[in-house]
Amino acid sequence: MQKHNIKKLQENLLFWYEKNGRKSLPWRNLKSLKCDERLKDIDKAYGVYISEIMLQQTQVKSVLERFYFPFLAKFPNLFTLAEAKEEELLKAWQGLGYYSRVRNLKKAALECIEKFGGILPKEPEKLKKLSGIGAYTAGAIACFAYDQKVAFVDGNIRRVLSRLFALKNANMKELESKAYQILNLNDAFNHNQALLDIGALVCLPKNPKCGVCPFYDFCKAKFNPESYPENKKILYEKLNLFLVFIEYKNQIAIKKSQEKLYKGMYNFPLFKESEFKLTKNMKYLGEFKHSYTKYKINVKVYHQILKIKTKDYEFKEFKELKHIPLSILSLKALNLIKF
DNA sequence: TTCCCGTACT
DNA sequence: AGTACGGGAA
C-alpha cells in the first residue's frame, strides 16, 4: 500500500474510533481522568495485564460484568497475586474457563518479582518470558500500559488484516508484518485499540458491516469479506459422562483434578462410560449438556448414599462448597439436586 | 497440531 | 441441536 493511502487509512481509523470505539472500557482508562473509582490504586500495567489475560478467551461483557473488578479487589497488585493461594485464585476465576491462565498469573507474578523487581517490564521480549504471556499479550501490555509503538495480532486483528490485504491463510509472521506496515507511530495506543474494536464491532466473522468500515476504500475483501481468512473446521465428539453425588453423613464427595483438564479445580466424582458401573443404591437425578474444546458432553447425574467412607475423595458439607473452586460442569450438576 | 473451557449465535 | 470462537503451552 502506498504511503499516502496508509496515512489516510490511519486517519480514518482514528476518526472512526473517536466516534464509535469502546473508549470507556475501564482497562483503557487506568491512571487517567476517566479512571474508574474502583481502580484508582491499581497500577496501570497490572490492570492492563489482568484485563488482557481475562480477555484472551472471554467476551468483554463477561469480564466487565463479572470478573474484572472483583478480581482486582481481591488481588490488587503483583504481590498479592504472588502470595495468593492457588485455590483462592481459582475461585476468583470460577466460570471463566481455561484455568491455567490464573495459575500462570501467579507463576508470572513470582517470576516478575524475581526477575524484574516486581514491575512489569515495558519491552515485549521481556514480557514474553513470563508464564502465560505470548506474543499478543506482550505487545498489548507494552502498548496499552507503556505506550510502546508495537504492533500485535489477536484473533480480531487477524481477521481485519486478512480482509484488508485479502490473505486467505497468512501465518503470524506475515500478519505481524502487515500490522507493522499500517501501525500509526504517532498514536499507537488508540490505533491498536481501534483495530481491536473494528474486529469486534465492524469486521465481524459473519455479516461484517463493511458499509460503516473506515477501511472500506482500501479493503481488498470488501466484495467477499467472508472468504477471508479461510476458516478451519472443528470436528466435534460426543461424550457421555456420569456424575455421582456420593453422600456420607450429610457430606458430599469432591475431588481435586490433577489432570490437565480442570487442573486444581474440584469436581464431583465423574466417570467415563467405560469406568461407570450403575449400582442398586444409585438414584437417577437427571441429566444436562455441557461442552468444552471439541467435546459435546451429556452428563447423567446420580445420587448415592455411602455407609462407609471412602478415601478416594474429600468429603465436604454443602455450605463449604461455596468457598471451593468448582467447574461449571459440576455447578450445573448441583442445579439438579433436591435431596 | 492439539489441548485447554465456556458462551454466543443460528 | 449444531457450530463457531479464542492465546498460549506442550
Side-chain angles (χ1 to χ4, degrees):
Chain A
M1 207 184 307
Q2 297 172 63
K3 216 170 184 179
H4 75 273
N5 278 339
I6 290 178
K7 187 140 200 247
K8 183 72 183 147
L9 173 142
Q10 292 171 342
E11 286 170 9
N12 289 358
L13 178 62
L14 288 183
F15 186 81
W16 174 88
Y17 183 62
E18 248 353 270
K19 249 178 85 182
N20 309 293
R22 298 174 293 184
K23 297 185 68 179
S24 39
L25 290 172
W27 45 85
R28 292 183 179 181
N29 294 286
L30 295 157
K31 299 292 179 201
S32 83
L33 291 168
K34 297 198 309 180
C35 182
D36 189 287
E37 185 61 23
R38 292 163 284 185
L39 305 177
K40 62 184 193 327
D41 295 326
I42 301 292
D43 171 70
K44 187 173 175 187
Y46 182 73
V48 168
Y49 172 40
I50 299 301
S51 76
E52 288 301 336
I53 299 296
M54 284 187 172
L55 290 164
Q56 270 177 10
Q57 281 86 359
T58 318
Q59 305 271 2
V60 166
K61 184 170 182 284
S62 170
V63 170
L64 197 55
E65 294 176 359
R66 298 171 51 207
F67 292 97
Y68 191 61
F69 293 107
F71 189 92
L72 286 176
K74 282 197 188 85
F75 311 105
N77 55 56
L78 272 180
F79 301 96
T80 48
L81 193 55
E83 289 164 12
K85 290 194 200 125
E86 183 174 289
E87 215 163 296
E88 289 176 54
L89 289 167
L90 287 166
K91 189 69 196 177
W93 211 262
Q94 176 178 290
L96 257 186
Y98 289 104
Y99 298 99
S100 66
R101 285 183 291 168
V102 75
R103 290 187 291 105
N104 278 333
L105 227 36
K106 177 181 163 109
K107 222 172 136 189
L110 290 164
E111 292 162 358
C112 188
I113 290 165
E114 171 76 18
K115 289 186 186 147
F116 306 123
I119 295 169
L120 283 159
K122 66 177 189 307
E123 302 86 352
E125 316 80 62
K126 289 186 184 170
L127 286 161
K128 261 198 72 170
K129 292 185 199 297
L130 299 169
S131 293
I133 298 184
Y136 165 74
T137 309
I141 296 171
C143 179
F144 299 147
Y146 296 116
D147 290 302
Q148 297 293 291
K149 298 169 183 182
V150 293
F152 42 83
V153 178
D154 77 331
N156 280 324
I157 295 177
R158 170 173 180 260
R159 189 172 54 257
V160 174
L161 295 174
S162 295
R163 287 175 178 169
L164 181 58
F165 296 102
L167 307 169
K168 293 245 187 227
N169 211 344
N171 61 35
M172 221 12 106
K173 205 171 147 237
E174 298 173 273
L175 289 167
E176 275 168 4
S177 144
K178 293 298 182 193
Y180 269 106
Q181 209 180 110
I182 64 163
L183 177 63
N184 187 338
L185 296 174
N186 295 316
D187 194 352
F189 181 101
N190 285 312
H191 172 89
N192 283 321
Q193 301 284 21
L195 271 185
L196 291 171
D197 283 3
I198 290 291
L201 305 173
V202 177
C203 197
L204 304 170
K206 291 254 165 65
N207 304 313
K209 305 176 193 302
C210 299
V212 299
C213 183
F215 290 169
Y216 186 82
D217 290 347
F218 312 101
C219 183
K220 289 193 175 168
K222 62 184 156 205
F223 299 122
N224 55 344
E226 290 183 21
S227 306
Y228 303 91
E230 215 162 54
N231 48 347
K232 67 233 177 270
K233 278 241 192 312
I234 303 170
L235 287 168
Y236 290 96
E237 272 181 51
K238 288 184 203 246
L239 191 60
N240 289 314
L241 295 179
F242 297 82
L243 185 150
V244 189
F245 286 111
I246 303 178
E247 189 181 351
Y248 174 78
K249 291 192 171 164
N250 289 319
Q251 292 193 311
I252 201 80
I254 55 170
K255 189 161 181 142
K256 188 178 192 164
S257 168
Q258 312 290 337
E259 333 273 288
K260 230 181 358 168
L261 179 62
Y262 291 131
K263 188 165 186 177
M265 298 292 284
Y266 287 81
N267 278 295
F268 300 111
L270 198 56
F271 304 93
K272 289 188 271 197
E273 219 160 4
S274 60
E275 299 166 339
F276 180 70
K277 184 82 178 74
L278 184 61
T279 59
K280 289 218 300 220
N281 62 353
M282 284 183 192
K283 191 175 156 235
Y284 175 75
L285 294 179
E287 56 191 280
F288 63 90
K289 306 235 176 276
H290 189 65
S291 69
Y292 55 75
T293 323
K294 60 179 180 173
Y295 299 105
K296 319 303 300 175
I297 309 171
N298 191 280
V299 187
K300 287 188 162 59
V301 183
Y302 294 85
H303 177 213
Q304 178 183 41
I305 296 178
L306 237 47
K307 298 200 174 74
I308 307 158
K309 204 165 174 171
T310 163
K311 294 190 74 143
D312 298 347
Y313 304 106
E314 294 178 48
F315 284 82
K316 301 282 181 191
E317 307 273 346
F318 270 104
K319 62 172 165 47
E320 296 179 85
L321 293 179
K322 72 167 176 292
H323 305 295
I324 291 169
L326 289 165
S327 70
I328 291 289
L329 190 154
S330 283
L331 289 169
K332 284 182 183 174
L334 218 38
N335 286 333
L336 296 174
I337 280 196
K338 39 191 168 285
F339 55 83

